[in-house]
Amino acid sequence: MTAGQHKAPENDPRLEHMHVRTYAPKDQEAVSHLYNHGLLAGQIAPNDTGADIDNIQEAYFSEPDSCFWVAELDGKVLGMIGVARENEGVAEIRRLRVEPQ
């Protein structure tokens, strides 16, 4: 770990309230926030449109081997990750974001 990074101890009582679940439409605002605040230098990469974030249902739930999850702590979405199927037997981890705090 580098300076400024913090690791929660395994016995951290906050972890008892951490919950990872499948994305639901009610999460859209929080997911958009995580995406936008996680952009490197505030810019979308030239080969990235970000369109999947605007339509998570189509991008991550229309293929059998794709999915999108959020992590909640005390009911607040603090993290997200998507897995998008590229082709048979191959998927890509996408949109990994976690609130800095």
Side-chain angles (χ1 to χ4, degrees), residues 9-63:
E10 290 182 23
N11 60 353
D12 186 330
R14 295 175 300 169
L15 298 180
E16 294 176 22
H17 303 285
M18 180 72 67
H19 179 70
V20 177
R21 61 170 174 76
T22 303
Y23 166 89
K26 68 179 182 165
D27 303 318
Q28 184 61 49
E29 183 177 341
V31 165
S32 293
H33 171 82
L34 284 168
Y35 173 74
N36 289 321
H37 285 87
L39 294 173
L40 295 176
Q43 301 293 315
I44 294 177
N47 62 343
D48 182 5
T49 66
D52 60 318
I53 294 300
D54 294 331
N55 196 348
I56 290 174
Q57 287 296 135
E58 184 178 322
Y60 294 96
F61 294 99
S62 62
E63 291 289 334

Side-chain angles (χ1 to χ4, degrees), residues 75-93:
K76 182 178 179 190
V77 174
L78 298 179
M80 66 185 198
I81 188 168
V83 174
R85 180 181 183 195
E86 295 294 317
N87 55 52
E88 186 66 36
V90 177
E92 177 184 11
I93 294 175

